Amino acid sequence: MKTLGYYNGKYGELENMSVPMNDRVCWFGDGVYDAGPCRNYKIFAIDEHVDRFFNSAGLIRIQVPCTKAELKALLRDLVNKMDTGDLFIYFQVTRGTAVRTHEFPENVPANLWVMLKPMGTPDLYKKIRLLTQEDTRFLHCNIKTLNLLPSVMAAQKAKEAGCQEAVFHRGGRVTECAHSNCHILKDGILYTAPADNLILPGIARAHLIRVCKKLEIPVSETPYTLKEMMDADEVLVTSSTKLCVAASEIDGTPVGGRAPETLKNILDAVMDEYMEETKA
């Protein structure tokens, strides 16, 4: 199959799939999701993605209709139905199908969705441009909720400005990006926002922290400001699809480029880990 959609046991090409209008995702975005890359039919960091998925579901009191082991087995089975093993894998759970009412419906099973589409290997060495925006989202950014309208609007604004990502900030504090985490290198130290309720604790963020520790680069999980970001030696952006890339400018002002050797060591190590885990 070229693409694949899955909904509660039914699957097929995405263009042929449909869902009930009364799925609560249609009325409320009532659910959570996770996503990541696959290469050579091997899903990268599958344990971490599934763990985060179940954690997000638990935080909004959705009972995932399968175990972690069953979900992993399902995802691997769906991957093997594809024409290529280099894929983007997305999965979500919604609170179920019921006539619209704000309160949780009773005795209604959750709905499980999966989407697969082809995706090439990320290019870590191509720098990106960033745009800053005030973070006006709610105070539960640690939940990977389906309610992504603020991120959609921010990403569109960045695109219209010729940028590849938007950096959110609350006052002076940098939180994260529209669909990524962001970090800075300064004086040989990696600074990354703490994993509190203002950011989603990204899988790629965790891998970056682990790589830096292996390279004996100190890591500080402390808040940093927009000014500190603009003055950083390097600005890094991590996500499950892009892994880790550096920024060349923010709001039209050049940034980074002051620690190229350290940056290359980090990017090489991130790519090496990805290639090793997903080798044929």
Side-chain angles (χ1 to χ4, degrees), residues 214-235:
K214 286 182 180 178
L215 294 173
E216 298 184 343
I217 296 171
V219 176
S220 177
E221 296 186 59
T222 55
Y224 59 89
T225 66
L226 277 174
K227 183 179 185 305
E228 289 170 324
M229 188 178 218
M230 299 301 294
D231 292 339
D233 297 331
E234 301 289 352
V235 177

Side-chain angles (χ1 to χ4, degrees), residues 167-233:
V167 177
F168 285 132
H169 62 93
R170 294 180 186 260
R173 175 187 165 176
V174 175
T175 51
E176 58 184 349
C177 297
H179 44 84
S180 315
N181 291 126
C182 51
H183 330 267
I184 60 174
L185 276 172
K186 183 66 176 180
D187 298 329
I189 300 172
L190 177 78
Y191 293 90
T192 183
D196 56 17
N197 64 304
L198 298 183
I199 76 162
L200 179 76
I203 304 301
R205 171 185 177 275
H207 282 244
L208 173 64
I209 291 172
R210 186 160 65 238
V211 160
C212 284
K213 289 181 178 179
K214 286 182 180 178
L215 294 173
E216 298 184 343
I217 296 171
V219 176
S220 177
E221 296 186 59
T222 55
Y224 59 89
T225 66
L226 277 174
K227 183 179 185 305
E228 289 170 324
M229 188 178 218
M230 299 301 294
D231 292 339
D233 297 331

Side-chain angles (χ1 to χ4, degrees), residues 140-157:
H140 298 286
C141 298
N142 54 308
I143 303 172
K144 206 165 174 64
T145 171
L146 298 173
N147 294 279
L148 297 176
L149 186 57
S151 294
V152 168
M153 299 305 295
Q156 179 63 24
K157 187 175 180 180

